[in-house]
Amino acid sequence: MQQRVVVLGSTGSIGQSTLDVIGRHPERYRVHALAALRQIDLLEAQIDRFNPEVVVVVDAAAATELKARLVNRGCAVDVQTGADALVKLAQRPEVHTVMAAIVGAAGLPSALAAAEAGKRVLLANKEALVMAGPVFMDAVRRSGAVLLPIDSEHNAIFQSLPANYQVNPEVHGISHIVLTASGGPFRGYKREQLANVTPEQAVSHPKWSMGPKISVDSASLMNKGLEVIEAHFLFGLPAEQIKVVVHPQSTIHSLVQYVDGSVLAELGEPDMRTPIAHALAWPERIQSGVSLLDLVACGQFDFAAPDLEAFPCLSLAYEALQRGGSAPAVLNAANEVAVAAFLDQKIAFLEIPEVIRQTLSQIPATPLTDLDSVLRVDARARSYAQSLVESRQ
Ligand code: NAD
Ligand code: MG
């Protein structure tokens, strides 16, 4: 039977890679719905190729324009608009699998709705877990949803851990997990060299092709910080058991170290179609379009400790995780505001961690109980971080 798949964020980097993998296996997967913010030219091409039943365009004006174009061509797709439509889409009974690939906090309500509805959730939107980890994981446990990580590091860890190890973690002898970081475009830079870097430099990642927000996060090492928090919630490990190592080749996607000295890892080309295909087919395996790794051509692997003085965002993320409760949600909100301001050339690269540090110190950590409590903290932290950005201009 074909799996009916919803692709949330279909016009983004992960969304397009997902459709590339799905397009290779029409007998296994049927695209039930596509959703994006407003990129309707690309959406139109995706509709022609995959013939979905529903398309959600969150931006109302763009939705109206797409509807008009489709009516003109006699194409009968149901076009909906608004953020609520994303949540309803993720919960439709006929949907089996939801790819959650919207960027940032905007992706949380729909990803959580898919988890609550017991779907097979392919989670690319790491911000959802960072903001709402306890609420999200609780929803997964209660509904029996199958949560499969798309983030390459977490997918690698998932593949390197024993199946169902959380049922009885002690017997599996996990010492710690190691997340690899490419180091981003500014790897090796000292603090002084980061003072005048531009958004254009920050988004040109040496190894991975990604959307602008996560590219800046990779450049500041906040991406790795968010991933440490993501790993904590996904794998139920404390911060002390989650380490980070810089590995510029990005071939080893992450590792698990066991108490007997064994190290298990997943390796491959830096191409997100591998974790996407893994999660789509799990526990089976399918072709992803990614070429097989040529170890001889790889040559050498390098490793280094992260430079926490030049890249304080990683330490801020560990701090937020240690504080617990709403602190990771505050970290995420302040980071989203600071990254947007940096991309708009309103603040300098080195001001990103400053905005986050001050927001974290200003807003006390409180327990998170449900989506509303998360969204309240998110709004408060955003407004504080925004005021900091404005005071710096
Ligand atoms: P992107 O910027 O390329 O795409 C973002 C997608 O989200 C687009 O389809 C856009 O239309 C949609 N979107 C944005 N704002 C929205 C809103 N308010 N409502 C509805 N849709 C909205 O981003 P990306 O690089 O594909 O990343 C997507 C997510 O996956 C992020 O959370 C990122 O951290 C994570 N991720 C990405 C990669 C990667 O290689 N790109 C790797 C690991 C994890
Ligand atoms: Mg990653």
Side-chain angles (χ1 to χ4, degrees):
M1 206 189 70
Q2 275 179 317
Q3 280 184 38
R4 274 188 293 272
V5 184
V6 169
V7 184
L8 302 173
S10 68
T11 57
S13 164
I14 294 287
Q16 293 181 61
S17 294
T18 303
L19 292 175
D20 181 280
V21 176
I22 287 179
R24 294 166 192 272
H25 304 279
E27 70 302 340
R28 291 182 72 116
Y29 307 105
R30 158 109 189 93
V31 176
H32 177 74
L34 300 169
L37 180 57
R38 60 166 71 91
Q39 300 82 342
I40 55 175
D41 291 342
L42 184 49
L43 269 176
E44 222 182 337
Q46 293 179 343
I47 292 167
D48 288 345
R49 168 91 169 79
F50 292 98
N51 192 25
E53 268 111 275
V54 188
V55 174
V56 174
V57 185
V58 170
D59 180 90
T64 307
E65 163 76 17
L66 179 64
K67 256 186 226 170
R69 286 192 200 176
L70 294 174
V71 167
N72 273 342
R73 296 169 32 192
C75 174
V77 182
D78 176 9
V79 179
Q80 303 179 0
T81 189
D84 287 353
L86 295 174
V87 169
K88 292 202 186 97
L89 186 57
Q91 296 197 309
R92 284 185 162 218
E94 62 269 45
V95 170
H96 183 246
T97 299
V98 175
M99 165 55 83
I102 290 172
V103 61
L108 170 61
S110 50
L112 181 61
E116 284 169 342
K119 304 297 184 194
R120 186 175 170 105
V121 184
L122 277 43
L123 189 68
N125 177 240
K126 64 190 85 187
E127 294 90 347
L129 266 190
V130 172
M131 295 170 74
V135 176
F136 198 97
M137 295 311 290
D138 197 43
V140 169
R141 273 186 292 271
R142 272 201 261 190
S143 69
V146 176
L147 180 59
L148 294 159
I150 294 298
D151 216 345
S152 57
E153 297 76 3
H154 306 75
N155 186 271
I157 300 285
F158 180 89
Q159 296 196 48
S160 307
L161 283 171
N164 289 326
Y165 82 99
Q166 285 196 20
V167 176
N168 200 359
E170 312 78 56
V171 304
H172 295 295
I174 294 151
S175 168
H176 55 273
I177 61 179
V178 184
L179 303 179
T180 52
S182 68
F186 306 137
R187 181 175 57 85
Y189 281 38
K190 294 289 156 220
R191 211 181 140 70
E192 316 77 71
Q193 296 171 281
L194 291 169
N196 295 316
V197 295
T198 64
E200 203 188 336
Q201 288 172 295
V203 300
S204 14
H205 197 278
K207 282 286 168 191
W208 299 92
S209 150
M210 310 181 288
K213 192 264 178 182
I214 181 174
S215 297
V216 176
D217 286 347
S218 296
S220 70
L221 277 201
M222 180 52 95
N223 184 47
K224 217 45 57 182
L226 299 176
E227 290 181 356
V228 167
I229 300 173
E230 183 186 11
H232 162 77
F233 289 118
L234 276 175
F235 305 117
L237 294 170
E240 309 77 65
Q241 281 179 280
I242 307 172
K243 297 184 180 169
V244 171
V245 67
V246 175
H247 164 50
Q249 289 82 10
S250 292
T251 305
I252 302 175
H253 297 146
S254 280
L255 319 91
V256 180
Q257 297 210 300
Y258 290 87
V259 291
D260 62 2
S262 302
V263 184
L264 298 192
E266 185 263 345
L267 287 73
E269 293 289 343
D271 186 323
M272 291 305 291
R273 291 177 300 174
T274 295
I276 290 167
H278 169 266
L280 274 169
W282 182 86
E284 299 176 8
R285 297 260 180 187
I286 55 171
Q287 299 266 359
S288 62
V290 178
S291 51
L292 297 185
L293 191 63
D294 178 343
L295 283 168
V296 174
C298 283
Q300 193 179 328
F301 287 164
D302 297 304
F303 303 99
D307 178 350
L308 298 176
E309 201 200 308
F311 301 98
C313 284
L314 181 55
S315 306
L316 289 170
Y318 271 104
E319 267 171 57
L321 180 54
Q322 299 286 12
R323 281 175 66 186
S326 59
V330 171
L331 173 97
N332 180 68
N335 181 54
E336 286 193 26
V337 169
V339 169
F342 169 68
L343 285 169
D344 278 353
Q345 298 185 305
K346 290 183 178 151
I347 62 171
F349 187 73
L350 287 174
E351 289 178 294
I352 296 174
E354 276 319 304
V355 168
I356 300 166
R357 190 193 314 280
Q358 287 185 40
T359 309
L360 266 177
S361 70
Q362 186 63 28
I363 299 184
T366 49
L368 297 176
T369 49
D370 55 11
L371 178 61
D372 280 348
S373 65
V374 178
L375 296 180
R376 272 198 302 276
V377 167
D378 177 69
R380 187 173 167 204
R382 261 168 216 278
S383 111
Y384 187 77
Q386 196 58 49
S387 68
L388 290 176
V389 165
E390 274 149 32
S391 71
R392 283 167 176 269
Q393 281 180 274

